[in-house]
């Protein structure tokens, strides 16, 4: 009798887990199982968030992807927590991709008066360039003019 109750309990838990997993069948559609860099990033992201299960050892990129999905499925976070994690994870991946593209670029944070900001906006629209591109072009032009001035003096 106790053995059959234990079996029923395990069966119910298994059914619950299957239903939970079904809710997130497309959760990692954005994650490319063949992209080792992306899978390593996702693996480390879940590891940092203490969601990755250490019981899923990996030795190949496909196993890395499988460990990510299995860890997510095994995680006992609520439906809302899982949705939030996926949203944050995708956003973090987008940020990572953006940062990876910023090779040979340096981020600056400075203030300017509102009049100059408005002028920069207008130049950006008029020239159909981003504000960063406008600033770069202005600096390059000014630098070039100064170099020319020095040569002729």
């Amino acid at each position: 009798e106790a053995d059959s109750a234990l079996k029923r309990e395990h069966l119910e838990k298994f059914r619950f887990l299957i239903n939970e997993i079904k809710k997130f069948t497309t959760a990692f559609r954005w994650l490319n199982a063949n992209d080792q860099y992306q899978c390593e990033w996702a693996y480390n992201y879940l590891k940092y968030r203490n969601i990755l299960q250490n019981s899923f050892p990996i030795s190949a990129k496909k196993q890395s992807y499988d460990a990510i999905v299995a860890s997510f499925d095994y995680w006992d976070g609520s439906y809302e927590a899982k949705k939030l994690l996926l949203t944050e994870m995708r956003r973090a991946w987008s940020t990572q991709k953006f940062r990876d593209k910023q090779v040979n670029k340096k981020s600056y944070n400075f203030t300017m008066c509102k009049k100059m900001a408005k002028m920069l906006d207008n130049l950006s629209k008029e020239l159909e360039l981003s504000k960063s591109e406008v600033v770069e072009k202005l600096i390059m032009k000014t630098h070039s003019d100064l170099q020319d001035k020095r040569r002729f003096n």
Side-chain angles (χ1 to χ4, degrees):
E1 189 70 34
D3 193 34
S4 114
L6 186 61
K7 285 180 183 177
R8 277 194 299 272
E9 182 182 328
H10 285 298
L11 187 58
E12 283 303 311
K13 186 168 184 169
F14 182 70
R15 285 183 181 137
F16 174 78
L17 287 173
I18 292 296
N19 285 332
E20 287 297 302
I21 290 170
K22 284 180 181 178
K23 291 177 185 176
F24 293 99
T25 55
T26 61
F28 291 99
R29 185 180 293 164
W30 60 275
L31 186 62
N32 181 351
N34 297 315
D35 185 340
Q36 187 171 356
Y37 176 71
Q38 186 184 32
C39 286
E40 281 179 22
W41 178 90
Y43 185 90
N44 290 327
Y45 185 89
L46 292 180
K47 190 175 182 180
Y48 176 77
R49 302 285 298 259
N50 294 318
I51 293 167
L52 191 75
Q53 299 298 316
N54 292 329
S55 57
F56 300 121
I58 61 163
S59 61
K61 61 184 169 188
K62 178 65 173 132
Q63 288 177 330
S64 170
Y65 177 83
D66 292 341
I68 292 163
V69 174
S71 291
F72 179 82
D73 289 341
Y74 189 75
W75 179 44
D76 64 352
S78 68
Y79 176 78
E80 291 77 17
K82 286 185 173 189
K83 278 182 69 172
L84 180 61
L85 173 78
L86 288 170
T87 300
E88 289 173 347
M89 191 173 183
R90 288 182 76 168
R91 191 174 296 135
W93 173 245
S94 291
T95 300
Q96 182 64 42
K97 286 192 309 184
F98 174 78
R99 287 180 180 154
D100 288 347
K101 290 178 185 176
Q102 299 303 309
V103 179
N104 294 324
K105 298 215 180 228
K106 179 167 179 4
S107 180
Y108 287 92
N109 183 14
F110 56 87
T111 58
M112 65 174 64
C113 68
K114 290 180 181 180
K115 183 178 178 182
M116 290 299 120
K118 183 72 173 162
M119 292 170 89
L120 180 58
D121 288 340
N122 290 339
L123 282 171
S124 177
K125 287 176 189 167
E126 185 70 29
L127 298 172
E128 296 180 359
L129 297 171
S130 70
K131 293 175 190 176
S132 295
E133 291 170 321
V134 170
V135 171
E136 286 177 10
K137 287 192 178 295
L138 289 170
I139 291 171
M140 287 172 30
K141 173 78 170 105
T142 303
H143 186 267
S144 176
D145 290 350
L146 285 172
Q147 296 293 4
D148 290 345
K149 185 177 179 182
R150 286 184 186 134
R151 265 185 256 155
F152 294 116
N153 285 338

